[in-house]
Amino acid sequence: SPAGNAKTSSDAAAEKKILMIGSGQSAGTLDPIKAYNGWYPVRYGFCQTLTKMNDDYSISGWLVEDGYSSNEDNTVWTFTIKDNVTFSNGNKMDAQAVKESLENVFENGERGVEYFTPDSIEADGQKLIITTKKPEPILPNKLADPLFCIIDTSVDNSKIADNGPIGTGPYVCESFDSATKKCVVVKNKNYWNGEVKTDRIEFIYSEDQSTISMGLQSGDFDAVYNVSMNDIGTFEKDSAYKIKTNPSGRTTIGFMNQNGQLGDKVLREAVLQMQDKDSYCRNLLKNQYVPGKTLITSASDYGYDTLTDPNAFNPDKAKKLLDEAGYKDTDGDGFRETPAGEPINLRFVYYTGRPEQQIVVEAAQAAMATVGIKITPQVHDTQTVMDMQKTGHYDLLCMSINIMNCGDPENQINTYFKAGGTYNATGYNNEEFNTLMDQVHITADPKQRKDLTRQAEQILLDDAAAIYFCYPIMNFVMKDSVEGINSTPADFYWVDENTIMNN
Amino acid sequence: MLEIQNITISFNKSSKPAVENFSLYVKPGEICCLVGESGSGKTSVIRAIQGNLPVQGTVIQGDIFFEGQSLLRYTANDWQKVRGTEISMIFQDSGAMMNPIRTIGSQFVEYIRAHGDYTRKEAWGKGVQMLERVRLHDGEHMMNSYPFQLSGGMKQRVGIAFAMVFQPKLLLADEPTSALDVTTQAQMIRQMMKLREECGTSIIMITHNLALAAYMSDHIVVMKKGEITDSGDRNHILHISQDDYTKKLLSAVPSLGGHYDV
Amino acid sequence: MTKKTIASRILQIIIVLFGIGFFTFGLTYLAPGDPVKAMYAANGSIPSEEVVEAVRKKMGLNDPFPVQYFNWLFNCLHGDFGTSYSLNKPVVTVLLQRLWPTLKLTLFSLILMLFVSVPFGVLSAVKHNKAADYLIRLFSFVGISVPSFWLGVMLIYIVALKLKLLPVISTGTGFKNVILPAVTLAFPMAAKYTRQVRAAVLEELHQDYVVGARTRGLKESTVIWWHVLPNALLPLVTLFGLSFGSLLGGTAVVEVIFSYPGLGNLAVSAVTARDYPLIQGYVLWVALIYMVINLFVDAAYEILDPRTKVR
Amino acid sequence: MEKGFIFYKNHKQFTAFFILAIVVIAAAVFAPLIATHNPYEAVITNVEQPPDGTHWFGTDKLGRDLFSRVIYGTRTSLASAMLLVTITLFVGSALGIFAGYFGGITDSVIMRISDMMISFPGLVLAIAVAGILGPSLMNAVIAIVAVSWTKYARLARSLVLRIKNKDYIAAAVLTGSKTGYILKKYIIKMTMPIMIVTAASDIGTMILEIAALSFLGFGAQPPVPEWGMMLNEGRAYLQTAPWMMFFPGLAVFIVVAVFNLLGDSLRDILDPGMLEKGAAAGGNYAGNTKYYDKL
Amino acid sequence: MFKPGDAIIEARHLTKLYQVSRSKCLTACDDISLNFYRNQTLGIVGESGCGKSTFVRMAVGLEKPTSGEILFYGKNRLELKGEELRLNRRNIQMIFQDPSEALHPRMKVKEIICEPLFNFNLIKKSQMESKARELLEMVELPGSFAERFPHEMSGGQRQRIGIARALSLEPEVIICDEITSALDVSAQKMIVELLLDLQNRKQISIGFISHDLALVQQFAHQVAVMYLGNVVELMNGKEVSTKARHPYTQALLDSIFDLHMDYSKEIVSIDSEIPSPFNVQEGCPFKERCIHCMTVCKTEKPKLMEIEPYHLAACHRYG
Ligand SMILES: Nc1ncnc2c1ncn2[C@@H]1O[C@H](COP(=O)(O)OP(=O)(O)OP(=O)(O)O)[C@@H](O)[C@H]1O
Ligand SMILES: Nc1ncnc2c1ncn2[C@@H]1O[C@H](COP(=O)(O)OP(=O)(O)OP(=O)(O)O)[C@@H](O)[C@H]1O
Ligand SMILES: [Mg+2]
Ligand SMILES: [Mg+2]
């Protein structure tokens, strides 16, 4: 009977558990070591890393047992590989396999050395010993990066970019279309950590944010990674959907170039005091961003609550500061000139890749116009902006930086603020700050590292070094029936063996 | 056969009609020529007989009878039946009257089959035969040619061949030779005269060549500004008529052996 | 077309391709920004000056312009258009992947366009200045004035989101995915062609051969379909070829809106990523396809129009 | 005055559209008087407000008044379209006239370049040029000029070729006119009206093209009020603030429609038949101009 | 009467070939030698496409001959260039076939007819009105026409404007290329009379081209008959109807419908078509259509030779 038929077909659908996930991000290759965004093997659930970053930015073992250790000066690290791990092709993963996988990163990839340079990697049964050339107090953090995910290098990996790696994750790649960037994954029958609940997941990519959220509304998708701030409201109101959010490790920063007119601290302070970050986040960014205060995101305990910002929002004070310092509109064009009488026109450079940038830059421009400081926004592509940041051809420059990309901010702080940092062209140079960061580098104790870092942050605040606009909140929106998908600070752990859509 | 009773053709209500009070009686087998200066309404008369006046133009008075039936009361359907069979037409440029991107043959066959119960092959044969009758010697080749591949004289003869197929009772011709050279014109006139002899077709022809009109026609109508100023047979027009306009026209025609007084 | 004209056309295509190649290569050569840095940036890393210098040397970027150009040309002639910075794949592979979806979209919208514009155009001309004519003209008028990127978004919103008739995302391979983008593309084109067909038919209706056909007592339908229409459509054939070409390029906007995985979408992201090898490859390819199509169309035109044949 | 009235009586359609076009241009010129707000003024506490009494078209993502931005957008769009059309018209006509009148090697060179340009789908090159030069309204204009001058050059050339063989040019040569005089008095005088009408009816298309480039992000940059860019910005807010998409879209439609209608009626006045084909010839591929050369 | 010394223009062995395509060559004029004499009219007749216009366009300097020379008072005019040529142009003027094509549609009559004078700085701006009136009077048009545009006039009137323009420079030679074929007979008569009157008054040399033999022989002092790019007969105008010898001229005469003809006579006509001007074969160009065709005609092209005083024909029968 027709009814019977209908039943069987819906049974079949129920039996074969399929999930459609939409995302505005994707990669053109599934090889973890080839592109900067080589984290898709982890996102799609093919691969896992030795360690894993927890929601509180702490690190714990994933493919290794938790009790890893290092020598005194942090140059020799010893890990114990979990015993029951197998690759999706059934091969057992032992220390030798891990060693080969890690060596592959350094031999065939270019990015490994940005993290650490191994002197030697030794495998002994399940024991893995990594010796590094320099002290690496946070090596376990670095190994949590998907770049170091473990793949089976004993198989032919010449087509890895399109066919996907053989990993230890709950899913294996069925098909990947590098034109549409659509990836279909199926259950890994040899999964080492229990039964995988979903048979098939399709990851569908569209670069257009609103298209993706419409896809979720129209039922094309069951879950969507990072619905934009404009559309999230629609789902918040609708009980058919649930939203998982997490504050990320990112900070949207406005760098101020002290080699120009912003060399005057008064002007920098005025700029800072004009930024109504609460209002930006509430009104313009729809509460999908946390108002910024310190360099490091509020989601970590690097002092967001304890540090004090001497230049918090205070337009009256800003005005007074400017007046007193002699910034006056002498030519009557509605904008102030410097005390020396030079006209001010601050170029605020930003790039389009992140939706909040244009908004905060334009908002800052509008806000500064009200105290008579002229700002001209200028948009460029990411590369040009990166070049500009390096060469210092800007007054203000907006950039979104994942300070906590390793669960620890040291690297990024040095790059952007320490004298001689690759991307420090702002002219910022504070001896006290530099000394503090040098100390961080040789400190292994996490608590001590944090303390030192907080002190450095406070110096940045006092020096009015940069604008910390906001910290984005990442989300995963899904149908109410979807389980086992979470939004995590690490941003790499989309699906796992427990992911399922219940009917 | 054809009787035009006092028709008036107007293109524009406010201005003077293009043709006023025009009457003409054409007997079977008679050739009648319309002559007169440019814009005198000759074409309008012919188009009225053909039921093919431009959209703005209407016969506002009078009537046209063909074989006793009023043409003005013909429906589109009636017209379709009579056109191309009982009333045919030759234009100044017959080539332009044919579809430029189809062969003569395909159009000939289409035309023949539109009015008679012929197979494609029969129609083709008939077409070839007609073309040879107008002394286009390689009929098959002509049928496979496109209009643009023929010379002016050939195209005009193809036009006559088309007009002859159904042995029409009335042939209308609007300056059929004015674009031709004298030698080709002579060929053409010979064909038309033959058509009258063989099928007894009546012909109404427009020409501005008075001598030609005089040679061909049984009846000449002289028009000026939409009105008939003079009409009669050759002898009347050439020798007897006292009409000023006729005289003026005659005096303007250059004549062999004549000389301007310099 | 004779063999000679075909040969000369092919030669012309080759010359034009060389010109375009020189033009795009020159432009990218002059463009601001360092391709090595761009390449690294696309991979998310910031190379040191030494690395940049080394890679520049390896890629021959320090050679004089003519040397670079001829190297590039040499590679192109061997089917090697370089490697896309942003996708890390040979340009040819990337383009081939995207070619078919775009061709499919283009063909589909052309067919759609023809099915709308020819009947409407003819109807409009035949019913000149009657209600049907005014209605069709209004439609075509709206069609040419409405921005396609606006139309596309509205179609997604209404048809896909509100009515849930078609998928929002066009990334799939099915037939359904191509409908909305094709309609968006075809709508303005259909409007344009309706006008063209109408104008052409109207003009042909005033031609002498129509009078001729009528005086031969042919049925009006015969006159319209067998005489007027072929003549009216003939000059549109060339125009049609041109549209095909501009569609290939013009799909960019629509592809972006519908996230359609075609060449246009690729070009837009290549430009944003300053992926010069990809931009160059794209431009050359589209120009080539375009010219080849036009060659075919012109050949078709010559076959269709006997007047172009020599006596 | 009298003359104007007679003109109106004879060309009612044209007059009507001309007045509409003037209204549009006036909106652009007097934007500061018409706009109710400063189009750049962001009121952060008042974002994405639906249309009401103070904000007739609502507000955008930064709380800027959409009505004022749309009105100022007329400026941006019209100014760039006019600039575009003017440059194309002059460059294209000059080269076309030159090629057509002098023929020979000049003609070959200009026409080969134009072949090269025309064997390009316009937007492709525009994207490439805009992409390489970097996104800005000016570069978008340059990019579109680079692809559209050929159409004008071809049209001008075909018109010149047609006129060049007319007896009145022969007569002018015979009666001792100098070449410069013939170019000025005959060639330019006879071709320019058609060229200008073509240009006028192209304004709409140009507005659409600029908007399309801006929509893709290769044209106007924020915070400049430009319709294509506003539409792109509005797309993300389609569900929460549909007016951000609706009003700029409507503005594009109306203005393009007005200029298309104006162009059409101008054509009708000048010569109904010839321009359709002329335009077609302008966009025609090199190898097949025979049919159109008759114009 | 036709003494070489009286010749203003001597066209010697003018040949014009058009390369129509790579393989095709069209012979528009084949070795034509004709002279224009002071106060004399040279009539040129022939069927459409026989090269009449091509010849005169070469004669006035609108077209470059493939070979041959054009002497103006014994000096080769083809050697003139630039400004020299421009200044020389005023001596030879031309009136064109289609009066509506030959006038700038957007210039007023006075501008059209005074333009040549301005080109040679013969008058000042202020004299334009009066000069225009004078010229209009000369062609028997009211002075009020000065303010009209070409489209506001009839064909005959426009042709008069063309004549006025050509005469404004007081040329020594004026060439009329089928100037009456777009007009009806009465207008044609008036135009021809006007031209003859002007010739009487100003002693100009006229070249008159037409396909109407009857018209040309009425007033031309000398008539040249052309066929397929060749002059086949050249004779005194008064003698055309009586003394024509060439079979083609005779065929033309036979085909003409004349008011004074014998109406009972059968029309004789050449049934074949004019051969194509492409890739001309050897022999007499008229061989296919000639009733007297002999074997020599098929192989050898007859030369234009004097068969009696002032009468030349190109036919083997008179060779
Ligand atoms: N479609 C039309 N609309 C308005 N007036 C017309 C139209 N056709 C002809 N006329 C006018 O009607 C009058 C007669 O025109 P018609 O064509 O019959 O003259 P004709 O004697 O055939 O002239 P010709 O010898 O030049 O062909 C003319 O004054 C003409 O202006
Ligand atoms: N520019 C040209 N290119 C190629 N062929 C030409 C050109 N001009 C004229 N011809 C050809 O040269 C031949 C003579 O032409 P011409 O115009 O001199 O003839 P005509 O005697 O004046 O004819 P008509 O009486 O029709 O004016 C014709 O076959 C014509 O097709
Ligand atoms: Mg007529
Ligand atoms: Mg001629």
Side-chain angles (χ1 to χ4, degrees), chain A residues 7 18 80 190 198 221 245 297 302 305 319 364 374 378 405 447:
Chain A
K7 192 165 177 283
I18 299 175
T80 311
N190 299 318
T198 298
F221 299 135
T245 58
T297 169
Y302 277 93
D305 299 320
K319 198 159 169 281
K374 186 171 182 179
Q378 255 186 21
N405 66 335
K447 212 177 148 289

PDB file of all heavy atoms in Angstrom, chain A residues 7 18 80 190 198 221 245 297 302 305 319 364 374 378 405 447:
ATOM      1  N   LYS A   7       6.015   4.640   4.619  1.00  0.00           N
ATOM      2  CA  LYS A   7       6.602   4.318   5.905  1.00  0.00           C
ATOM      3  C   LYS A   7       8.019   3.765   5.738  1.00  0.00           C
ATOM      4  O   LYS A   7       8.952   4.219   6.379  1.00  0.00           O
ATOM      5  CB  LYS A   7       5.725   3.280   6.627  1.00  0.00           C
ATOM      6  CG  LYS A   7       6.080   3.099   8.077  1.00  0.00           C
ATOM      7  CD  LYS A   7       4.973   2.349   8.812  1.00  0.00           C
ATOM      8  CE  LYS A   7       5.348   2.102  10.263  1.00  0.00           C
ATOM      9  NZ  LYS A   7       6.300   1.008  10.375  1.00  0.00           N
ATOM     10  N   ILE A  18      21.449  11.035   8.488  1.00  0.00           N
ATOM     11  CA  ILE A  18      22.167  11.995   7.651  1.00  0.00           C
ATOM     12  C   ILE A  18      22.045  13.381   8.269  1.00  0.00           C
ATOM     13  O   ILE A  18      21.003  13.746   8.817  1.00  0.00           O
ATOM     14  CB  ILE A  18      21.574  12.025   6.234  1.00  0.00           C
ATOM     15  CG1 ILE A  18      21.714  10.634   5.611  1.00  0.00           C
ATOM     16  CG2 ILE A  18      22.266  13.056   5.376  1.00  0.00           C
ATOM     17  CD1 ILE A  18      21.058  10.510   4.270  1.00  0.00           C
ATOM     18  N   THR A  80      52.838   9.658  26.110  1.00  0.00           N
ATOM     19  CA  THR A  80      52.459   8.257  25.976  1.00  0.00           C
ATOM     20  C   THR A  80      51.213   8.179  25.098  1.00  0.00           C
ATOM     21  O   THR A  80      50.176   8.786  25.395  1.00  0.00           O
ATOM     22  CB  THR A  80      52.135   7.639  27.349  1.00  0.00           C
ATOM     23  OG1 THR A  80      53.194   7.974  28.230  1.00  0.00           O
ATOM     24  CG2 THR A  80      51.983   6.128  27.223  1.00  0.00           C
ATOM     25  N   ASN A 190      35.879   1.727  11.900  1.00  0.00           N
ATOM     26  CA  ASN A 190      36.958   1.256  12.774  1.00  0.00           C
ATOM     27  C   ASN A 190      37.262   2.259  13.880  1.00  0.00           C
ATOM     28  O   ASN A 190      38.388   2.327  14.376  1.00  0.00           O
ATOM     29  CB  ASN A 190      38.231   1.037  11.956  1.00  0.00           C
ATOM     30  CG  ASN A 190      38.023  -0.015  10.894  1.00  0.00           C
ATOM     31  OD1 ASN A 190      37.386  -1.040  11.157  1.00  0.00           O
ATOM     32  ND2 ASN A 190      38.512   0.234   9.711  1.00  0.00           N
ATOM     33  N   THR A 198      26.153   8.862  13.725  1.00  0.00           N
ATOM     34  CA  THR A 198      25.594   9.348  12.459  1.00  0.00           C
ATOM     35  C   THR A 198      26.282   8.659  11.291  1.00  0.00           C
ATOM     36  O   THR A 198      27.488   8.467  11.292  1.00  0.00           O
ATOM     37  CB  THR A 198      25.759  10.871  12.365  1.00  0.00           C
ATOM     38  OG1 THR A 198      25.025  11.461  13.424  1.00  0.00           O
ATOM     39  CG2 THR A 198      25.230  11.415  11.044  1.00  0.00           C
ATOM     40  N   PHE A 221      19.553  22.933   5.539  1.00  0.00           N
ATOM     41  CA  PHE A 221      20.585  22.537   6.500  1.00  0.00           C
ATOM     42  C   PHE A 221      19.963  22.111   7.818  1.00  0.00           C
ATOM     43  O   PHE A 221      18.865  22.545   8.182  1.00  0.00           O
ATOM     44  CB  PHE A 221      21.520  23.714   6.811  1.00  0.00           C
ATOM     45  CG  PHE A 221      22.256  24.222   5.605  1.00  0.00           C
ATOM     46  CD1 PHE A 221      22.357  25.578   5.360  1.00  0.00           C
ATOM     47  CD2 PHE A 221      22.872  23.342   4.732  1.00  0.00           C
ATOM     48  CE1 PHE A 221      23.042  26.044   4.261  1.00  0.00           C
ATOM     49  CE2 PHE A 221      23.566  23.803   3.639  1.00  0.00           C
ATOM     50  CZ  PHE A 221      23.641  25.160   3.391  1.00  0.00           C
ATOM     51  N   THR A 245      26.780  28.781  21.729  1.00  0.00           N
ATOM     52  CA  THR A 245      27.737  29.856  21.500  1.00  0.00           C
ATOM     53  C   THR A 245      28.965  29.644  22.361  1.00  0.00           C
ATOM     54  O   THR A 245      28.930  28.899  23.339  1.00  0.00           O
ATOM     55  CB  THR A 245      27.143  31.231  21.866  1.00  0.00           C
ATOM     56  OG1 THR A 245      26.746  31.173  23.224  1.00  0.00           O
ATOM     57  CG2 THR A 245      25.997  31.589  20.978  1.00  0.00           C
ATOM     58  N   THR A 297      41.109  38.309  25.187  1.00  0.00           N
ATOM     59  CA  THR A 297      39.647  38.173  25.267  1.00  0.00           C
ATOM     60  C   THR A 297      39.116  37.927  26.696  1.00  0.00           C
ATOM     61  O   THR A 297      39.776  37.297  27.535  1.00  0.00           O
ATOM     62  CB  THR A 297      39.189  37.023  24.349  1.00  0.00           C
ATOM     63  OG1 THR A 297      37.840  36.712  24.608  1.00  0.00           O
ATOM     64  CG2 THR A 297      40.008  35.767  24.603  1.00  0.00           C
ATOM     65  N   TYR A 302      42.879  36.344  31.512  1.00  0.00           N
ATOM     66  CA  TYR A 302      44.090  37.150  31.409  1.00  0.00           C
ATOM     67  C   TYR A 302      43.840  38.577  31.890  1.00  0.00           C
ATOM     68  O   TYR A 302      44.463  39.509  31.397  1.00  0.00           O
ATOM     69  CB  TYR A 302      44.631  37.134  29.981  1.00  0.00           C
ATOM     70  CG  TYR A 302      45.477  35.912  29.684  1.00  0.00           C
ATOM     71  CD1 TYR A 302      44.913  34.774  29.134  1.00  0.00           C
ATOM     72  CD2 TYR A 302      46.838  35.903  30.002  1.00  0.00           C
ATOM     73  CE1 TYR A 302      45.678  33.659  28.887  1.00  0.00           C
ATOM     74  CE2 TYR A 302      47.611  34.779  29.753  1.00  0.00           C
ATOM     75  CZ  TYR A 302      47.046  33.660  29.187  1.00  0.00           C
ATOM     76  OH  TYR A 302      47.809  32.558  28.942  1.00  0.00           O
ATOM     77  N   ASP A 305      38.764  41.193  33.836  1.00  0.00           N
ATOM     78  CA  ASP A 305      37.998  41.740  34.946  1.00  0.00           C
ATOM     79  C   ASP A 305      38.850  42.557  35.897  1.00  0.00           C
ATOM     80  O   ASP A 305      38.375  43.485  36.527  1.00  0.00           O
ATOM     81  CB  ASP A 305      37.358  40.591  35.742  1.00  0.00           C
ATOM     82  CG  ASP A 305      36.412  39.805  34.878  1.00  0.00           C
ATOM     83  OD1 ASP A 305      35.696  40.449  34.075  1.00  0.00           O
ATOM     84  OD2 ASP A 305      36.406  38.566  34.978  1.00  0.00           O
ATOM     85  N   LYS A 319      37.030  65.404  25.012  1.00  0.00           N
ATOM     86  CA  LYS A 319      36.901  66.749  24.463  1.00  0.00           C
ATOM     87  C   LYS A 319      37.803  67.711  25.240  1.00  0.00           C
ATOM     88  O   LYS A 319      38.543  68.526  24.669  1.00  0.00           O
ATOM     89  CB  LYS A 319      35.438  67.186  24.583  1.00  0.00           C
ATOM     90  CG  LYS A 319      35.071  68.339  23.694  1.00  0.00           C
ATOM     91  CD  LYS A 319      33.547  68.387  23.468  1.00  0.00           C
ATOM     92  CE  LYS A 319      33.160  69.691  22.807  1.00  0.00           C
ATOM     93  NZ  LYS A 319      33.106  70.818  23.749  1.00  0.00           N
ATOM     94  N   ALA A 364      33.658  54.208  14.531  1.00  0.00           N
ATOM     95  CA  ALA A 364      34.708  55.034  15.115  1.00  0.00           C
ATOM     96  C   ALA A 364      34.835  56.337  14.355  1.00  0.00           C
ATOM     97  O   ALA A 364      34.991  57.410  14.938  1.00  0.00           O
ATOM     98  CB  ALA A 364      36.037  54.272  15.081  1.00  0.00           C
ATOM     99  N   LYS A 374      38.945  64.104  12.211  1.00  0.00           N
ATOM    100  CA  LYS A 374      38.533  63.521  10.934  1.00  0.00           C
ATOM    101  C   LYS A 374      39.228  62.189  10.695  1.00  0.00           C
ATOM    102  O   LYS A 374      40.448  62.081  10.797  1.00  0.00           O
ATOM    103  CB  LYS A 374      38.874  64.480   9.806  1.00  0.00           C
ATOM    104  CG  LYS A 374      38.361  64.019   8.465  1.00  0.00           C
ATOM    105  CD  LYS A 374      38.548  65.128   7.446  1.00  0.00           C
ATOM    106  CE  LYS A 374      38.004  64.708   6.085  1.00  0.00           C
ATOM    107  NZ  LYS A 374      38.172  65.802   5.128  1.00  0.00           N
ATOM    108  N   GLN A 378      39.491  53.357   4.895  1.00  0.00           N
ATOM    109  CA  GLN A 378      40.030  52.875   3.627  1.00  0.00           C
ATOM    110  C   GLN A 378      40.025  51.372   3.676  1.00  0.00           C
ATOM    111  O   GLN A 378      40.606  50.780   4.581  1.00  0.00           O
ATOM    112  CB  GLN A 378      41.467  53.340   3.475  1.00  0.00           C
ATOM    113  CG  GLN A 378      41.623  54.466   2.495  1.00  0.00           C
ATOM    114  CD  GLN A 378      43.084  54.802   2.268  1.00  0.00           C
ATOM    115  OE1 GLN A 378      43.962  54.000   2.516  1.00  0.00           O
ATOM    116  NE2 GLN A 378      43.307  55.997   1.787  1.00  0.00           N
ATOM    117  N   ASN A 405      45.473  31.629  19.861  1.00  0.00           N
ATOM    118  CA  ASN A 405      45.421  30.531  18.904  1.00  0.00           C
ATOM    119  C   ASN A 405      46.074  29.249  19.418  1.00  0.00           C
ATOM    120  O   ASN A 405      45.791  28.174  18.940  1.00  0.00           O
ATOM    121  CB  ASN A 405      46.019  30.944  17.540  1.00  0.00           C
ATOM    122  CG  ASN A 405      47.495  31.219  17.633  1.00  0.00           C
ATOM    123  OD1 ASN A 405      47.999  31.547  18.706  1.00  0.00           O
ATOM    124  ND2 ASN A 405      48.186  31.093  16.524  1.00  0.00           N
ATOM    125  N   LYS A 447      50.675  29.650  35.829  1.00  0.00           N
ATOM    126  CA  LYS A 447      50.151  30.735  36.635  1.00  0.00           C
ATOM    127  C   LYS A 447      51.063  31.952  36.546  1.00  0.00           C
ATOM    128  O   LYS A 447      50.624  33.091  36.363  1.00  0.00           O
ATOM    129  CB  LYS A 447      50.027  30.281  38.093  1.00  0.00           C
ATOM    130  CG  LYS A 447      48.855  30.961  38.777  1.00  0.00           C
ATOM    131  CD  LYS A 447      48.664  30.459  40.200  1.00  0.00           C
ATOM    132  CE  LYS A 447      48.107  31.557  41.084  1.00  0.00           C
ATOM    133  NZ  LYS A 447      49.037  32.614  41.393  1.00  0.00           N
TER     134      LYS A 447
END
